[in-house]
Amino acid sequence: MSDPRYPIGKYEPMPFSEAIKNQWIHELKVAPTNIELAIQHLDKVQLDTPYREGGWTVQQLVHHVADSHMNAFIRFKLALTEETPPIKPYNEKAWVNTADVLNTPINYSTTILHALHERWVNLATSMTDEQWQRTLFHPERNANVTLWDMLCIYSWHGKHHIAHIKALCDQKAW
Ligand code: NI
């Protein structure tokens, strides 16, 4: 593992296929349980430990995944109901330092993730091939992003942060 920030590698876009779509929807489905399994044995001090030098704590990682995936779900809904709506970027480095993230037990965010991913998976399994090609406009990249790209990004994103937590647990022998 050369770069501790990318334990499973960086996100790689993939061409649309039914098999990959089913795999990635499955990964969205199991992500909340996998996060819960990764954190269930950790105590308060362990949750407040950064996953790497200068990195986010486990507490911040879990709340971040909930914040990120709530935004992503809203973006899916916007793209399905409007013509190429713009993405509203947010400052994720600032979001992980707001009081709710620092003070709310992470089981509230795993509860959000269980409910949110249930709705997200139900939405995703209903989508036609045409709907996967619907787009959002990304102002920071000045480019359109398809909902297919969004599925690839967010199935990777959950695994990416779970791998941070697992890497910390491995390193500390927790
Ligand atoms: Ni992230």
Side-chain angles (χ1 to χ4, degrees):
M1 186 196 310
S2 52
D3 187 339
R5 292 174 302 168
Y6 296 100
I8 62 165
K10 292 194 180 179
Y11 155 70
E12 297 279 353
M14 297 276 276
F16 181 86
S17 87
E18 192 68 18
I20 298 172
K21 180 189 77 176
N22 291 337
Q23 174 63 29
W24 280 338
I25 291 174
H26 176 73
E27 282 168 5
L28 279 190
K29 192 177 178 66
V30 297
T33 298
N34 286 341
I35 290 180
E36 215 161 11
L37 290 172
I39 57 155
Q40 62 183 358
H41 62 295
L42 302 179
D43 64 23
K44 177 87 179 78
V45 172
Q46 291 168 323
L47 293 174
D48 285 335
T49 305
Y51 80 91
R52 65 174 172 86
E53 187 81 28
W56 293 344
T57 65
V58 177
Q59 168 107 358
Q60 287 175 310
L61 288 170
V62 174
H63 285 312
H64 160 73
V65 174
D67 287 348
S68 166
H69 291 196
M70 285 191 279
N71 273 282
F73 178 73
I74 298 295
R75 290 169 180 176
F76 262 69
K77 300 269 289 194
L78 289 170
L80 286 168
T81 56
E82 298 177 18
E83 292 307 316
T84 312
I87 283 177
K88 174 66 187 79
Y90 65 98
N91 184 342
E92 61 176 28
K93 293 193 173 87
W95 280 42
V96 294
N97 286 305
T98 55
D100 58 313
V101 166
L102 304 177
N103 300 334
T104 312
I106 52 174
N107 63 304
Y108 288 99
S109 274
T110 55
T111 300
I112 286 172
L113 286 165
H114 277 294
L116 179 68
H117 280 230
E118 183 70 21
R119 287 191 58 187
W120 202 358
V121 167
N122 284 342
L123 182 64
T125 50
S126 80
M127 284 169 58
T128 63
D129 290 359
E130 291 71 36
Q131 285 177 314
W132 285 110
Q133 300 311 319
R134 292 186 68 85
T135 50
L136 295 147
F137 175 68
H138 200 305
E140 288 173 339
R141 286 192 237 156
N142 195 28
N144 288 346
V145 179
T146 64
L147 287 180
W148 173 248
D149 295 326
M150 292 284 287
L151 177 66
C152 305
I153 292 167
Y154 287 94
S155 65
W156 169 86
H157 186 252
K159 291 187 295 180
H160 167 68
H161 288 304
I162 292 166
H164 288 150
I165 297 169
K166 286 185 173 165
L168 175 67
C169 292
D170 285 350
Q171 183 209 322
K172 300 274 191 188
W174 287 344

